[in-house]
Amino acid sequence: MARMIIHEAKGPVEIKPGTESKWVCMCGLSRNAPFCDGSHKKVREEETGKTYQYLPDGTRKEVKA
């Protein structure tokens, strides 16, 4: 069963479990989850108020309500 999960965050969150910083993915696109791999850069051009679907090949399409 497929699920649609909506992420509104456009960047990672820094955590410091010790002295070293780790970046946790908040956009939902990282292929290295739960850690950030820079995939959030794809969401920079998203328009506020629109919903998008990211396909396995990395392309984005707008989802019409």
Side-chain angles (χ1 to χ4, degrees), residues 1-60:
M1 175 199 297
R3 292 181 176 86
M4 182 178 288
I5 300 170
I6 297 174
H7 292 262
E8 293 183 359
K10 291 189 174 185
V13 169
E14 180 183 18
I15 60 170
K16 288 188 176 187
T19 58
E20 187 178 336
S21 291
K22 300 286 183 182
W23 295 90
V24 176
C25 174
M26 297 300 291
C27 73
L29 298 176
S30 177
R31 294 186 188 261
N32 189 31
F35 302 105
C36 176
D37 68 358
S39 293
H40 61 275
K41 294 172 186 167
K42 296 176 186 176
V43 305
R44 289 181 181 160
E45 297 174 5
E46 289 182 352
E47 293 182 41
T48 302
K50 292 186 177 183
T51 301
Y52 298 92
Q53 177 182 11
Y54 285 83
L55 304 175
D57 66 0
T59 59
R60 170 181 69 210

